[in-house]
Amino acid sequence: GASLAISGRTREKLEELINDTKNPTSHLAIVSDLSKLSGVREFVQKGLEFLGGVDIILHALGGGYGFKETMLSWQQIELLHKINLYAGVEINRLAIPKMINNQGGTIIHVGSIASQEAVGSVGYNTVKAALAAYVRSLGREMAASEIIVTGILPGSFTAPGNAMIRLQQEMPGVYNSFIKERLPRKKMGSVEEIIPLICLLASDAGSMMSGCCVPI
């Protein structure tokens, strides 16, 4: 029953997603590059105009861009911060006043268990830790305004086209060794297992969770 305003860089994928919903005309797909401030602001402006306000923001933007270097360049760490942190911070800054006027709202950031356990690359661990600190801090500040800010910290999982799917396709031996040696269940998680937690946090059941980052 929700109306969505979604952003991405590939029009075909956005349209495919919109057309897969029950009521495509209830949703808006906005092609934008959220690594650029102008792209973020355009997305929020068009989204708010289309929706007439916003109740829930789900931030699923992020990634490590394949940067494995220990000594990251200025340009690399800047890009990682733009994608994993800055875009979300700006979206929230522009949208939260509307939520306050509506006397409530929910914001969920998809982070990573790497923010706690440093299991990824130096750059990825760093920006995910920064994101988790932001969620905890913003959540405390916004709780009195009935704005519930939470984060989820997933471990490894498969989703269409994500890093684990690519690893499985490109290096099946490494993928299988990772499951055997690193995952307690001895099997890879799936995005379908993560969605129920997001739905919980997006519901009234998450009313006491502001500032919490939940590992899964």
Side-chain angles (χ1 to χ4, degrees), residues 58 106 108 110 152 191 194-203 216:
L58 174 61
T106 300
I108 303 168
V110 179
I152 68 167
V191 69
I194 294 173
I195 290 172
L197 177 58
I198 293 175
C199 292
L200 172 71
L201 294 174
S203 73
I216 179 169

Side-chain angles (χ1 to χ4, degrees), residues 152-204:
I152 68 167
L153 308 177
S156 300
F157 66 94
T158 57
N162 81 340
M164 276 299 157
I165 288 291
R166 296 195 300 272
L167 182 65
Q168 183 183 30
Q169 294 170 344
E170 298 167 8
M171 293 185 283
V174 174
Y175 176 83
N176 292 329
S177 295
F178 179 86
I179 293 174
K180 181 179 179 181
E181 298 169 9
R182 299 279 293 277
L183 301 184
R185 296 193 303 172
K186 308 303 179 187
K187 69 175 184 178
M188 183 63 65
S190 70
V191 69
E192 287 79 12
E193 295 178 276
I194 294 173
I195 290 172
L197 177 58
I198 293 175
C199 292
L200 172 71
L201 294 174
S203 73
D204 292 339

Side-chain angles (χ1 to χ4, degrees), residues 9 62-73 76-77 79-80 83-84 120-125 127 162-163 166 170-171:
R9 289 176 295 181
Y65 272 84
F67 297 155
K68 302 299 184 184
E69 297 88 345
T70 301
M71 300 299 165
L72 292 155
S73 70
Q76 286 174 322
I77 196 67
L79 178 58
L80 290 176
I83 293 298
N84 290 278
S121 63
V122 170
Y124 189 76
N125 294 340
V127 292
N162 81 340
R166 296 195 300 272
E170 298 167 8
M171 293 185 283

Side-chain angles (χ1 to χ4, degrees), residues 9-27:
R9 289 176 295 181
T10 308
R11 182 176 301 278
E12 292 76 17
K13 290 183 179 180
L14 288 171
E15 291 176 351
E16 180 182 354
L17 179 59
I18 292 292
N19 290 330
D20 196 40
T21 65
K22 292 180 180 178
N23 299 297
T25 57
S26 298
H27 315 300

Side-chain angles (χ1 to χ4, degrees), residues 14-73:
L14 288 171
E15 291 176 351
E16 180 182 354
L17 179 59
I18 292 292
N19 290 330
D20 196 40
T21 65
K22 292 180 180 178
N23 299 297
T25 57
S26 298
H27 315 300
L28 178 66
I30 302 166
V31 179
S32 47
D33 181 353
L34 299 186
S35 69
K36 298 178 179 178
L37 183 59
S38 58
V40 175
R41 291 178 173 174
E42 181 183 22
F43 167 52
V44 175
Q45 180 183 1
K46 290 181 178 179
L48 289 175
E49 288 175 356
F50 177 79
L51 297 173
V54 60
D55 303 303
I56 300 168
I57 303 174
L58 174 61
H59 296 278
L61 180 66
Y65 272 84
F67 297 155
K68 302 299 184 184
E69 297 88 345
T70 301
M71 300 299 165
L72 292 155
S73 70

